[in-house]
PDB file of all heavy atoms in Angstrom:
ATOM      1  N   CYS B1137      -3.815 161.492  75.307  1.00 92.00           N
ATOM      2  CA  CYS B1137      -3.392 160.481  74.327  1.00 92.00           C
ATOM      3  C   CYS B1137      -1.989 160.781  73.789  1.00 92.00           C
ATOM      4  O   CYS B1137      -1.195 159.876  73.590  1.00 92.00           O
ATOM      5  CB  CYS B1137      -4.383 160.392  73.167  1.00 92.00           C
ATOM      6  SG  CYS B1137      -5.962 159.651  73.628  1.00 92.00           S
ATOM      7  N   HIS B1159      -6.084 157.656  82.623  1.00 95.00           N
ATOM      8  CA  HIS B1159      -6.571 157.817  81.256  1.00 95.00           C
ATOM      9  C   HIS B1159      -6.456 156.503  80.481  1.00 95.00           C
ATOM     10  O   HIS B1159      -7.399 156.064  79.826  1.00 95.00           O
ATOM     11  CB  HIS B1159      -5.783 158.917  80.553  1.00 95.00           C
ATOM     12  CG  HIS B1159      -5.969 158.914  79.064  1.00 95.00           C
ATOM     13  ND1 HIS B1159      -7.086 159.438  78.450  1.00 95.00           N
ATOM     14  CD2 HIS B1159      -5.194 158.400  78.082  1.00 95.00           C
ATOM     15  CE1 HIS B1159      -6.984 159.264  77.141  1.00 95.00           C
ATOM     16  NE2 HIS B1159      -5.839 158.633  76.885  1.00 95.00           N
ATOM     17  N   CYS B1163      -8.909 154.192  77.874  1.00 95.00           N
ATOM     18  CA  CYS B1163      -8.741 154.640  76.485  1.00 95.00           C
ATOM     19  C   CYS B1163      -8.256 153.479  75.613  1.00 95.00           C
ATOM     20  O   CYS B1163      -7.097 153.083  75.666  1.00 95.00           O
ATOM     21  CB  CYS B1163      -7.756 155.795  76.408  1.00 95.00           C
ATOM     22  SG  CYS B1163      -7.443 156.340  74.711  1.00 95.00           S
ATOM     23  N   CYS B1166      -5.220 154.242  73.188  1.00 94.00           N
ATOM     24  CA  CYS B1166      -3.907 154.252  73.835  1.00 94.00           C
ATOM     25  C   CYS B1166      -3.457 152.831  74.190  1.00 94.00           C
ATOM     26  O   CYS B1166      -2.295 152.486  74.035  1.00 94.00           O
ATOM     27  CB  CYS B1166      -3.909 155.118  75.092  1.00 94.00           C
ATOM     28  SG  CYS B1166      -3.693 156.877  74.742  1.00 94.00           S
TER      29      CYS B1166
HETATM   30 ZN1   ZN C1783      -5.730 157.878  74.993  1.00 79.71          ZN
END
Side-chain angles (χ1 to χ4, degrees):
Chain B
C1137 289
H1159 165 79
C1163 177
C1166 278

